[in-house]
Amino acid sequence: MALTTRYGTLFGLLAIIALFSALSPAFAQYSNLINITQQMSLLAIVALGATYVMALSEFDLSVGAVVSWAGILAVTLFGAGWGLPSTIAATLVSAFAIGCASGFLVARFRMPSFIVTLALGTIMGGATFWLSNGATLFANIPPEFRNLGRGTVAGIPVLTLWALAMTALTVFVLDHTELGRRIHAIGGNREAARLTGVPIPRNMVAAFGLCTLLAGIAGLLLTARLGSAHPTGGNGFLLQAYAAAFLGMTAFRDGEANALGTLLGAAIIAVAANGLTILGVPNYLQDIFTGLIIVAAVLVRNVGRREE
């Protein structure tokens, strides 16, 4: 594999960091770089979930709605008198179940994942508004829950550590387990995987379930970080998560979804947003710049292929 194909996205990140460091000395300060790792953490977790279904060559468009649902459900359960362990468990089980339902419909009935997950995401969005009455919820959140998304350990933000832990988990599952090998096999050639005895429905259900499970974790951490939950709090994660996962497919492995690449993609998006904010660039121009980064990543990959 050509050097530009394998490491072009990483070189791109380093170039962006060098550019912003030259334009603004404040960007290169250690405190700001640590802050970037915290800013990208929740996006990285949602994008890592998306990596599971992208490895299947599928999509799950419900992840943003699941982030919102998890936060609202958790605060609602706290308000109903539930304890911390039971609230977290119930929230994550519900998030996992949403993905499993999507995976079952896609695998068993050959329904397009785009349509199925869009529909289930819409349903969950309605359920979230119903549960919250469309209001931001912030009452009865216990301090120990807030601590899950706040503070530092050895100078490193807790959210950054969560993102690293979820990255390690995703690397392990996709690269070192039978489930991961089967997911990649299905994504590479579903019919060939079936003919070799891979149980398609079971593995697709697991992949979709893991996708929304990580979205649920992100929703809980977002609520812990903010000390409140909004019924549309997760909407902004959908497009950026898939942008990060797609950028990751241009890194390290040619066209294959992978956890380390996704983390790198999330870093590119976070670095660009942070640097442009420091420079006072309007939000709409930040969106344009993010899109250009994705196009550039594709060009780098294609140039690398021609060099092979």
Side-chain angles (χ1 to χ4, degrees), residues 32-55:
N32 184 58
L33 296 178
I34 290 294
N35 184 48
I36 290 174
T37 68
Q38 180 173 250
Q39 291 174 348
M40 66 177 275
S41 57
L42 297 180
L43 170 61
I45 293 173
V46 178
L48 287 165
T51 303
Y52 286 102
V53 294
M54 291 194 74

Side-chain angles (χ1 to χ4, degrees), residues 54 132 172 239 263:
M54 291 194 74
S132 65
F172 175 74
L239 294 180
L263 183 66

Side-chain angles (χ1 to χ4, degrees), residues 134-150:
T136 299
L137 305 183
F138 53 85
N140 303 306
I141 300 177
E144 56 269 27
F145 177 76
R146 296 173 189 258
N147 292 337
L148 293 176
R150 299 180 178 182

Side-chain angles (χ1 to χ4, degrees), residues 12 21 27 34 66-67 73 95 113 118 176 187 220 230 233-234:
S21 298
F27 175 85
I34 290 294
V66 173
V67 172
L73 177 61
S113 59
L118 180 62
H176 303 288
L220 288 174
H230 192 276

Side-chain angles (χ1 to χ4, degrees), residues 105 154 165:
L105 293 173

Side-chain angles (χ1 to χ4, degrees), residues 188-206:
N189 190 317
R190 180 169 173 172
E191 184 60 21
R194 185 187 67 81
L195 292 174
T196 57
V198 174
I200 305 294
R202 184 171 65 196
N203 289 284
M204 291 189 71
V205 166

Side-chain angles (χ1 to χ4, degrees), residues 119-142:
L120 285 180
T122 302
I123 292 171
M124 295 313 303
T128 301
F129 266 89
W130 169 75
L131 195 61
S132 65
N133 289 319
T136 299
L137 305 183
F138 53 85
N140 303 306
I141 300 177

